[in-house]
Amino acid sequence: LAKTTQPISMDSYEGQEVNITCSHNNIATNDYITWYQQFPSQGPRFIIQGYKTKVTNEVASLFIPADRKSSTLSLPRVSLSDTAVYYCLVGGTSGTYKYIFGTGTRLKVLA
Amino acid sequence: EAQVTQNPRYLITVTGKKLTVTCSQNMNHEYMSWYRQDPGLGLRQIYYSMNVEVTDKGDVPEGYKVSRKEKRNFPLILESPSPNQTSLYFCASSNQGTLNTGELFFGEGSRLTVL
């Protein structure tokens, strides 16, 4: 089962681009990488998902290098409302569905 | 509206008093799962279910039971709650098409305090 490692916390200022990196050294061949956002007292919410190279949607981009042992969530021009905890999750393929979340990265956006 | 609904959202109980936290989803998802969230420990999986009558242990199943008699419901049962089960609990679901990729839909959480 792939274990993920992320920085515990990050601070940024409004309008800046924020990059959060997740390490998953033993990712399986068929595993996808998914990022979630969680606000206090709410359930995690899906942000973006990818398998390799780069994926972009209306809120974020996800960069995955060729070896897939890490991934970087990029949030362009963050605002105060992006203050949250961000989780990296590696998909539960390889015959098991024990999705293992890491401890997440607490992002604080400052005015 | 597609959603995962948990009840109760908040509960204070005493040691040993059996309780059930319900989870229901209206998306016809096959997969459902329970997590607990504690400060500094992130989200830890308790149990999961691939479909009706199919359940399996996650990383922290001790002290919990589950059942999956209907596709839409996946209750979490604490037969004899203890203070170390004080936590924030989340239910999640996924359909078979996106299960392998890890796209989960979460409920709003149930905050349980055991005195």
Side-chain angles (χ1 to χ4, degrees):
Chain A
L1 300 172
K3 178 181 177 181
T4 61
T5 304
Q6 305 172 230
I8 294 175
S9 65
M10 297 179 68
D11 288 347
S12 181
Y13 288 95
E14 281 191 294
Q16 290 188 330
E17 178 185 75
V18 171
N19 295 310
I20 305 174
T21 296
C22 178
S23 295
H24 28 80
N25 290 320
N26 56 340
I27 186 171
T29 301
N30 295 326
D31 283 346
Y32 278 70
I33 300 153
T34 311
W35 284 81
Y36 290 83
Q37 176 190 56
Q38 185 181 27
F39 297 113
S41 299
Q42 292 186 24
R45 185 184 67 163
F46 173 91
I47 301 176
I48 196 167
Q49 183 178 78
Y51 181 79
K52 61 180 179 180
T53 63
K54 177 183 175 182
V55 178
T56 297
N57 62 21
E58 62 276 8
V59 298
S61 294
L62 178 59
F63 298 91
I64 305 169
D67 66 6
R68 304 200 328 122
K69 293 184 183 300
S70 67
S71 59
T72 300
L73 173 72
S74 180
L75 304 171
R77 300 178 299 281
V78 294
S79 64
L80 295 176
S81 63
D82 292 316
T83 294
V85 179
Y86 293 82
Y87 290 95
C88 161
L89 174 67
V90 177
T93 55
S94 308
T96 179
Y97 301 102
K98 287 187 176 183
Y99 291 107
I100 298 177
F101 284 82
T103 53
T105 298
R106 187 173 300 276
L107 172 66
K108 185 174 183 180
V109 180
L110 307 169
Chain B
E1 179 188 354
Q3 58 186 359
V4 178
T5 304
Q6 299 178 222
N7 280 296
R9 294 288 313 279
Y10 302 91
L11 178 65
I12 300 175
T13 189
V14 295
T15 298
K17 186 176 182 181
K18 179 180 179 180
L19 67 92
T20 299
V21 186
T22 64
C23 175
S24 180
Q25 49 92 6
N26 63 359
M27 296 169 279
N28 201 37
H29 284 171
E30 294 86 2
Y31 178 90
M32 297 185 74
S33 180
W34 276 102
Y35 291 85
R36 62 177 289 174
Q37 186 171 40
D38 303 289
L41 297 177
L43 288 153
R44 294 182 292 168
Q45 192 177 48
I46 303 171
Y47 269 95
Y48 63 94
S49 169
M50 294 299 297
N51 214 323
V52 175
E53 303 292 359
V54 181
T55 63
D56 207 347
K57 296 177 180 179
D59 285 332
V60 289
E62 295 78 21
Y64 304 94
K65 287 176 58 178
V66 293
S67 69
R68 187 89 182 274
K69 293 183 170 57
E70 303 168 284
K71 196 173 188 179
R72 63 181 294 130
N73 296 322
F74 190 44
L76 179 69
I77 303 159
L78 285 73
E79 293 273 4
S80 183
S82 62
N84 64 13
Q85 292 178 298
T86 292
S87 186
L88 179 57
Y89 292 87
F90 289 101
C91 180
S93 72
S94 178
N95 67 32
Q96 203 63 34
T98 54
L99 176 60
N100 285 349
T101 61
E103 184 173 353
L104 300 166
F105 296 83
F106 283 84
E108 290 299 303
S110 296
R111 185 168 294 281
L112 171 65
T113 300
V114 183
L115 302 176

